[in-house]
Amino acid sequence: MANKLNLDQSQRVDIVCRKNDTFSLKLQISDENGTAVNLSSGWGFNMDVRTSDADNELDVDRIMSTEIADGSNADPGRIVADLTTSGSSGEVVFTCSADDMDVAAGLYVYDIQQVDTTADPDIVETILYGTFQINEDVTITA
């Protein structure tokens, strides 16, 4: 008899956005009872957009991220994770400016991790993952 314990709590959500448009994604972080988690201290969030989900130490396939890659592989776009207001609302907003969304249209992959730094060691959990499709833009600005 086969037994299985699935510890992967992440949810698949595919994202479609447009090149050269401001990207904004607001998430409400709640506990198992549906109560907003106070994110004012001890919490962090990471979001990476990559060409593939293959592990890559050098980050050469990283398209956008909440972290800037070191050296010559600096990200062409930067995603900012903002814990809105005091963080007690449980809201986190991921944004990328229109200028930083000037990346090649195409189909990518992404994930979002939450990091609880109040634990020792930190508790890292992927909460969302999926495809990240960037549609071509028509309007060209000078």
Side-chain angles (χ1 to χ4, degrees):
M1 180 167 163
N3 291 315
K4 181 177 180 180
L5 174 61
N6 184 357
L7 299 176
D8 185 356
Q9 299 292 321
S10 61
Q11 298 291 311
R12 181 177 178 141
V13 176
D14 296 333
I15 296 173
V16 179
C17 56
R18 186 162 296 277
K19 177 179 177 173
N20 295 322
D21 284 1
T22 302
F23 173 81
S24 181
L25 172 65
K26 183 193 300 186
L27 298 178
Q28 176 74 44
I29 308 299
S30 304
D31 64 16
E32 61 275 357
N33 298 317
T35 305
V37 174
N38 186 342
L39 304 174
S40 57
S41 66
W43 289 90
F45 292 86
N46 300 311
M47 180 177 184
D48 274 0
V49 179
R50 298 175 176 264
T51 55
S52 74
D53 59 1
D55 188 22
N56 188 334
E57 260 182 56
L58 299 177
D59 295 326
V60 293
D61 68 343
R62 183 185 285 185
I63 303 302
M64 296 184 297
S65 179
T66 52
E67 298 179 288
I68 295 295
D70 293 333
S72 62
N73 298 322
D75 296 325
R78 178 152 171 80
I79 299 171
V80 176
D82 178 31
L83 305 178
T84 60
T85 64
S86 66
S88 61
S89 66
E91 290 181 354
V92 59
V93 180
F94 296 88
T95 59
C96 190
S97 72
D99 287 342
D100 286 341
M101 284 295 294
D102 188 15
V103 296
L107 188 61
Y108 303 98
V109 295
Y110 84 97
D111 74 0
I112 296 175
Q113 293 179 330
Q114 67 183 15
V115 182
D116 179 356
T117 60
T118 62
D120 187 24
D122 294 350
I123 297 173
V124 179
E125 181 179 23
T126 299
I127 56 175
L128 292 177
Y129 72 96
T131 60
F132 192 93
Q133 180 176 333
I134 302 176
N135 291 338
E136 188 60 63
D137 197 10
V138 175
T139 303
I140 300 173
T141 57

